[in-house]
Amino acid sequence: MRILILLTLAFASSGIWADEADPVTAESALSAVAILRDETNWLWTCIAGFLVFFMQAGFALVEAGFTRAKNTVNILMKNFMDFSLGSLAYWLIGFSIMFGPQIISGIGFGSISLADSLLMVDGKPDPSKFTFFIFQLVFAGTAATIVSGAMAERTKFVDYVIFSVLITAFVYPIFGSVGWSNLFNPDNKGYLVEAGFIDFAGSTVVHSVGGWAGLAGTIVLGPRIGKYQDGKVLPILGHNMTIAALGVFILWLGWFGFNPGSTTSVGGGTFAIIAVTTNFAAAAGAVSSMVVTWILFKKPDIGLSLNGALAGLVSITAPCANVSISSAIIIGLVGGVLVVFSVLFFDKIKVDDPVGAVSVHGVCGAWGTIAVGLFAEQAFGGVNGLFFGGGIEQLLVQLQGVGIGFVWAFGASLVIFLALKFTIGLRVSEDEEIQGLDILEHGNEAYPISK
């Protein structure tokens, strides 16, 4: 009914049902149209945020499928609790650091306060600010949950819980404040914002931060028992490719909220263009990774093909609003190839990442961010990249952002994980790892045998 009333007022403003000379009627109608526009944008952003939240289910299924059955409950608990605890930590501390008034102007660090203080106007809750908050909250949850896969099958649950709080309260928001601080308040301009850094939906701000944190964690943990023997890599296969594939489909769907939703607006229809570039990069990544594995292993590999789709999605997350379909396909193709060789590289240097999270999110997140400086086209918004006559300036800015993101996320996470290792201990015992984390950490099994 409210929409019908607003539409009626909108028609009135056009002079069809009212006197065009009546300024009061015209002003009221224009105000009604503005309200309708704002509320439509809020609705779209919230729906997109709900899709991003559903990605938590996708991550849980991918990680569970790629790991052994005896650790499934542990995987599910980690993915369930990192968002639950991360929500509280982001509300308590993270949001204000990322978007609050800067205590170091020009760098981006916000002062610490409850999110409530930033979401009120004249003592009343502001729906536009609450909309922004829920959308940013699910992004913070994504950065946290990426770490789970890289450290799977040998991490103490209590340590993961502690890190989930710290990454959403400090690690993710501090870098986010450097690159995205102006999204909430245009006057807050972090260092990379001032430099002209482009990361539309978070290839580096979200995905690489999570990926590099996972890299730090898996280095401190060391490889799983039996993964590397006599100079050889012994694959530890996942227990259920069905749920892994379902998880990837859920993530693919969720990315239609992740990237198009970052417009926070339906005006101009940019979200539709972004949805198309997002989809084609994912498809290209899946195809290229399948082809590469077919060539290397003589058979198309399901695990790496699934990760290829995710690699394409992560790669297009930064440039999705600035590139054409053709460029999106190239970016996805490169991402799909890159993830295969990245997984092989980390295995070669004995960095054990059970689900390929570091390669998908860290490496391909960096690639996607760099791709902005190569493939951006002014016709699609923003600037021209190197391949479209824009020179090298934007590429240098993108490289700087990638470098700062790596140094901060990897360095800060390394310190945290080392502190946990030498205090309460980071890794479960050898007996626990062999028997599985489900029984000893949680007293439960995902697939109990009837007795």
Side-chain angles (χ1 to χ4, degrees):
M1 178 61 71
R2 178 173 180 149
I3 292 176
L4 289 175
I5 294 172
L6 292 172
L7 289 174
T8 300
L9 290 171
F11 276 117
S13 70
S14 67
I16 296 175
W17 293 348
D19 184 358
E20 293 183 6
D22 185 348
V24 176
T25 302
E27 183 178 342
S28 300
L30 289 173
S31 176
V33 171
I35 292 172
L36 178 60
R37 179 199 62 217
D38 289 343
E39 293 185 348
T40 301
N41 290 338
W42 301 339
L43 177 62
W44 158 241
T45 304
C46 281
I47 290 173
F50 304 153
L51 284 171
V52 177
F53 168 74
F54 191 45
M55 291 173 71
Q56 294 289 135
F59 280 114
L61 293 177
V62 168
E63 292 171 21
F66 278 178
T67 52
R68 290 167 289 186
K70 63 184 180 180
N71 298 310
T72 301
V73 170
N74 179 257
I75 291 289
L76 298 178
M77 276 293 291
K78 289 196 296 183
N79 279 270
F80 187 64
M81 293 312 301
D82 60 29
F83 185 80
S84 301
L85 288 164
S87 292
L88 297 173
Y90 195 65
W91 164 69
L92 280 168
I93 300 172
F95 185 77
S96 61
I97 288 178
M98 195 162 173
F99 297 110
Q102 293 183 19
I103 56 175
I104 306 178
S105 181
I107 294 181
F109 302 160
S111 55
I112 296 177
S113 65
L114 294 179
D116 303 51
S117 62
L118 300 174
L119 305 178
M120 309 289 282
V121 175
D122 296 329
K124 297 180 180 180
D126 186 310
S128 66
K129 297 181 185 297
F130 271 75
T131 299
F132 182 83
F133 175 65
I134 190 63
F135 191 70
Q136 292 299 324
L137 172 61
V138 293
F139 272 47
T142 299
T145 205
I146 290 167
V147 182
S148 170
M151 301 177 65
E153 302 202 290
R154 69 260 201 224
T155 306
K156 288 183 178 180
F157 182 67
V158 65
D159 292 271
Y160 184 75
V161 164
I162 293 170
F163 186 75
S164 294
V165 171
L166 294 177
I167 190 174
T168 45
F170 298 104
V171 180
Y172 166 72
I174 285 176
F175 181 72
S177 71
V178 176
W180 277 359
S181 57
N182 64 319
L183 297 183
F184 187 67
N185 181 351
D187 293 332
N188 282 350
K189 293 185 178 180
Y191 174 75
L192 288 175
V193 175
E194 291 277 17
F197 180 64
I198 297 174
D199 188 1
F200 186 76
S203 283
T204 286
V205 174
V206 179
H207 292 281
S208 279
V209 164
W212 301 142
L215 176 61
T218 194
I219 288 174
V220 175
L221 272 173
R224 290 168 290 175
I225 296 172
K227 180 64 186 287
Y228 307 110
Q229 295 182 27
D230 302 323
K232 296 180 180 180
V233 178
L234 300 182
I236 300 176
L237 301 178
H239 83 281
N240 194 325
M241 288 298 102
T242 301
I243 65 172
L246 176 59
V248 170
F249 278 119
I250 290 173
L251 288 170
W252 196 326
L253 171 65
W255 240 284
F256 289 125
F258 208 100
N259 289 0
S262 294
T263 59
T264 67
S265 171
V266 298
T270 305
F271 68 92
I273 299 170
I274 294 172
V276 172
T277 57
T278 298
N279 183 75
F280 276 95
V287 171
S288 64
S289 59
M290 179 194 70
V291 171
V292 170
T293 60
W294 211 333
I295 293 171
L296 293 177
F297 313 133
K298 311 305 178 186
K299 295 181 185 297
D301 182 82
I302 178 63
L304 286 170
S305 296
L306 291 172
N307 267 344
L310 298 180
L313 288 163
V314 171
S315 298
I316 198 61
T317 297
C320 60
N322 300 89
V323 299
S324 67
I325 298 175
S326 300
S327 294
I329 291 172
I330 295 171
I331 292 168
L333 288 171
V334 174
V337 173
L338 195 59
V339 75
V340 175
F341 286 102
S342 178
V343 167
L344 296 176
F345 167 76
F346 283 118
D347 266 341
K348 187 175 181 63
I349 63 173
K350 298 183 179 181
V351 172
D352 183 16
D353 176 1
V355 305
V358 176
S359 298
V360 169
H361 299 279
V363 174
C364 290
W367 156 241
T369 308
I370 293 168
V372 176
L374 301 173
F375 294 97
E377 293 183 56
Q378 197 167 20
F380 286 86
V383 299
N384 283 323
L386 180 63
F387 295 160
F388 292 89
I392 200 172
E393 290 79 9
Q394 189 64 45
L395 179 59
L396 294 176
V397 172
Q398 299 303 113
L399 288 167
Q400 188 178 19
V402 168
I404 294 173
F406 173 79
V407 170
W408 167 250
F410 179 79
S413 300
L414 187 65
V415 170
I416 294 170
F417 286 125
L418 286 172
L420 291 171
K421 178 179 180 178
F422 292 113
T423 52
I424 63 176
L426 185 61
R427 185 166 180 155
V428 299
S429 69
E430 184 174 323
D431 288 342
E432 286 178 294
E433 185 175 345
I434 292 171
Q435 186 171 340
L437 278 62
D438 288 0
I439 289 294
L440 297 176
E441 285 270 287
H442 307 285
N444 207 333
E445 294 177 281
Y447 310 103
I449 299 174
S450 299
K451 296 181 176 64

